[in-house]
Structures are given as C-alpha cells and as structure tokens.
Amino acid sequence: MAVGPTTRRRQLGADLRRLRERAGLTLEEAGCLVGISKATLSRYETKDGTVKWPAVDALCRAYEAPEQERHTLVELAKGAKIRGWWRSLADPIPESMNLMLTLEDEVVREDHYACMYVPGLLQTRRYAEAVHRASEMRCTEQEITHMVDIRMKRQELLERDEPPHIWAVIDEAVVRRMVGGRDVMRDQLCRLLTRAGEPHVTVQILPFSAGAHAAAVGSFVVLGGATPELDVVYVDILGGGLFMEKQQELARYKLAFEYLRAQALDIEASVALLDQVCEGL
C-alpha cells in the first residue's frame, strides 16, 4: 500500500518552494545550483515522494536560508519517513484511512460538519460499532472490531498535552437519529456533553429550524495544519473519502464552515438541546 504524504513532508515541500521564490530562482536555475534536475526539484516542492536530506541542505545553502531554518528543514527531511502508530498494525487499513491518520496525527485543529453521524473522534465504542455494522454490511465481526479499534485509538489525539482544537457543527438529525438503540444513543449524547465541556472541544448543533444551509451535500472535515498551506479538506463519499488541498477547494469549504457556525445554535443552546434529547431517551 502506498504511504500518504506525512505532514513533515508536506511542510518541507512548502518551505522549499517559499525559499526558492524568495531567492528569485526558477526551478531550473535552483536545480542547476545543486546538481539536481528541474523535475526532481519540482517533486520536492509538490509534497510527494521521498527526499534526500543532503539535497535539502544544499538547496537551503543555495537559497541563503538562515542557519536555524536550514537545520530545521534538514531535520524535516530526515524525519519525513517516520511512520505513525497505525503503520505497525497487523491488519491492513483502507488507503483513505491511512492518509487521514497521517494528516490527523499532526493537525492543530479540525473543523467538522456532521450530517449523518457523530464525528469519529467524539464517538463511543458502542456507537462506532453500530455505525460500522450499518455501513459495512459485508464486513465480518473481526473486521468491524479492527476498524473500531482504530477509531478508538484515534481518539487518543484528544488526550495529548496539547491536543488539536475540535470544532464540530452537528446537524440536529444526527443527535435524533437512533443509532444502536436507546442505551447506545444515551451514552453517545452523554459523551458529546462531556466532550463539549472540555476546553479544546467546541460542539454546536445545527437545528432543523435553520432550514437550507451551506453544506447540504454532506459531511466534511477541514484538517488544519501548523500553517495554512498544510490545510486539507476531507469529504465523506460512499465507500471512502475524498481529500482536497487546492486553494479554491479549501476556500469553498472553509467559507461553508463559517456559514454553518453562524447558522448553528450557540454553545449554550447546543448543550441545552443535547440535554433535552438525552433526557427524552
């Protein structure tokens, strides 16, 4: 299975392009200075494939990058092949999930819009099992357990000393849809209420009364990197997901999320609605 681009690799590509442009050099001119082809340098900057740290070091010197920045980029190049915890799993995982785990491992924020199910990072185990059983009808119990184990492992992201900020706008249909039965749903809503009380998690409910809204096409996540050029959008589609990183695509989904936040109930009203639905179960 192909390994998706790590955040380190993507950061390195963005920084190398920025330094070259600051130096006023074309790809061909910069490649000539360090003895690599235009095609190779283009690949270095497009965040795909492997890099050789001596070449990164030479490029930084050619671009007259400050000593500390050169050292930082060389270390990024050396660490670009480091694999996350999921790469050691005995059972294979879908390619789209591999890339999601790769990107999510180093995000600083995640903006979720959920129209079908509670976002995976906020799910209970029993709720996640019910979701997988419903959506993966041909999977065995062993396969379902494997996928749910990965989802639960992902949630350790929220227990880090400096966790990313999770902002979830959840359609009212999600909290009223009976997934797994009353007990499972009650536990799930309690988990949402608990998470909503944490400083790095924000939960808003988009009520039915909001009517038509900016994301009627489906659920999506904006994965926010340390810098804007590392942002990626993940869109749920049948049988997997679609990743987007072109500026026009990013801008469209970021704007949609801003509209959704504005249309949703405020935090206090959202908690009140969750309480109301929970008490009715």
Side-chain angles (χ1 to χ4, degrees):
M1 182 184 344
V3 179
T6 65
T7 299
R8 295 179 184 86
R9 179 64 183 85
R10 297 172 70 243
Q11 180 70 67
L12 178 62
D15 285 344
L16 286 175
R17 183 179 66 253
R18 174 179 54 80
L19 286 175
R20 177 180 59 79
E21 291 174 348
R22 189 178 69 184
L25 297 169
T26 65
L27 285 168
E28 189 170 6
E29 290 168 342
C32 286
L33 288 176
V34 298
I36 63 176
S37 69
K38 174 183 176 181
T40 297
L41 182 52
S42 176
R43 178 173 56 78
Y44 275 29
E45 293 185 7
T46 52
K47 316 166 189 176
D48 190 23
T50 59
V51 294
K52 296 179 180 179
W53 73 261
V56 171
D57 183 74
L59 286 166
C60 287
R61 293 178 188 276
Y63 299 152
E64 299 182 354
E67 184 73 12
Q68 182 56 50
E69 187 168 20
R70 178 176 65 82
H71 175 76
T72 298
L73 294 190
V74 168
E75 290 304 308
L76 275 177
K78 290 179 178 179
K81 291 183 180 180
I82 294 175
R83 293 183 173 189
W85 56 265
W86 58 93
R87 301 300 300 172
S88 62
L89 294 173
D91 296 325
I93 60 175
E95 180 61 30
S96 61
M97 179 172 286
N98 170 61
L99 182 51
M100 169 62 87
L101 295 173
T102 299
L103 296 171
E104 191 172 63
D105 196 44
E106 294 180 10
V107 296
V108 297
R109 73 183 189 284
E110 290 190 19
D111 295 335
H112 291 253
Y113 168 63
C115 67
M116 182 62 68
Y117 299 120
V118 171
L121 289 176
L122 306 178
Q123 291 179 3
T124 65
R125 185 177 189 90
R126 291 199 299 166
Y127 183 94
E129 288 172 345
V131 168
H132 277 289
R133 286 194 181 98
S135 58
E136 307 291 344
M137 291 83 72
R138 296 187 177 183
C139 284
T140 65
E141 282 300 307
Q142 181 179 355
E143 290 170 329
I144 289 173
T145 297
H146 174 57
M147 300 303 288
V148 173
D149 283 346
I150 293 174
R151 181 158 297 183
M152 296 301 103
K153 182 70 176 177
R154 278 177 60 205
Q155 294 182 5
E156 294 182 9
L157 185 74
L158 302 180
E159 310 305 326
R160 293 178 176 177
D161 291 339
E162 296 184 8
H165 189 99
I166 308 300
W167 196 306
V169 175
I170 302 174
D171 196 284
E172 184 176 347
V174 173
V175 300
R176 294 192 182 277
R177 179 173 292 111
M178 194 67 65
V179 175
R182 290 183 181 276
D183 289 344
V184 170
M185 228 20 236
R186 187 183 301 110
D187 288 346
Q188 178 59 71
L189 294 180
C190 286
R191 170 68 64 83
L192 265 183
L193 285 165
T194 299
R195 286 298 192 188
E198 297 172 353
H200 56 281
V201 178
T202 302
V203 174
Q204 287 182 272
I205 305 300
L206 184 66
F208 292 140
S209 60
H213 54 76
V217 294
S219 301
F220 66 87
V221 186
V222 180
L223 298 153
T227 56
E229 61 264 28
L230 297 180
D231 292 353
V232 178
V233 170
Y234 173 82
V235 181
D236 271 337
I237 59 174
L238 189 63
L242 181 65
F243 292 88
M244 304 179 184
E245 59 179 344
K246 293 181 179 178
Q247 287 305 309
Q248 185 176 4
E249 297 166 341
L250 286 168
R252 181 178 180 181
Y253 278 93
K254 287 178 179 180
L255 182 61
F257 190 76
E258 289 303 313
Y259 277 119
L260 289 165
R261 288 201 307 184
Q263 290 177 282
L265 300 175
D266 63 28
I267 295 170
E268 289 185 2
S270 296
V271 168
L273 189 148
L274 285 172
D275 270 326
Q276 176 189 343
V277 176
C278 194
E279 288 175 2
L281 291 173

